Amino acid sequence: MKFITKKIHAFLDYPVAIALIALPFLLSLGGSNTLALQISVATGIAAFLLTILTDHHLGAFRIIPYKFHLLVDFLVGLVFVIAPFLFGFNGIDAYYYWIIGGTVLLVVSAHKPDMTLS
């Protein structure tokens, strides 16, 4: 079922970026590997910049095509699902990445087709 529109996605982007920066500190990530904290924070900063630069109604500069934004989101979801295996994350570190990665993949896959996705 496809129900997430371009507008809904745009409203999700900023809070998700901030959460990727703040949650690792609030959850004390990094116990199994310091990369668990660092990757999320770096991804959050990159996601914030991507959102600012994306061509949607909440993008400040609207340089990056929306389709490219969705591709980046998909790739981030994949990396987050795979990261615990690649870097040996366990416990809360692994669960955090699996939950975030799975959620991102779910959101991208539930995106409603839009003729104006350019």
Side-chain angles (χ1 to χ4, degrees), residues 9-93:
H9 188 114
F11 280 111
L12 294 172
D13 279 339
Y14 288 106
V16 167
I18 292 167
L20 287 169
I21 295 167
L23 281 176
F25 296 102
L26 295 173
L27 297 173
S28 300
L29 294 188
S32 62
N33 185 330
T34 58
L35 285 175
L37 184 138
Q38 297 165 350
I39 291 170
S40 184
V41 172
T43 302
I45 293 167
F48 192 82
L49 293 173
L50 179 67
T51 301
I52 287 172
L53 297 173
T54 296
D55 184 16
H56 58 43
H57 71 287
L58 293 180
F61 298 102
R62 301 180 185 188
I63 298 167
I64 297 172
Y66 187 66
K67 284 183 181 180
F68 181 76
H69 178 114
L70 287 176
L71 175 63
V72 171
D73 283 353
F74 174 76
L75 294 173
V76 166
L78 281 180
V79 168
F80 268 49
V81 168
I82 296 167
F85 302 106
L86 290 176
F87 303 116
F89 300 166
N90 56 51
I92 186 80
D93 294 346

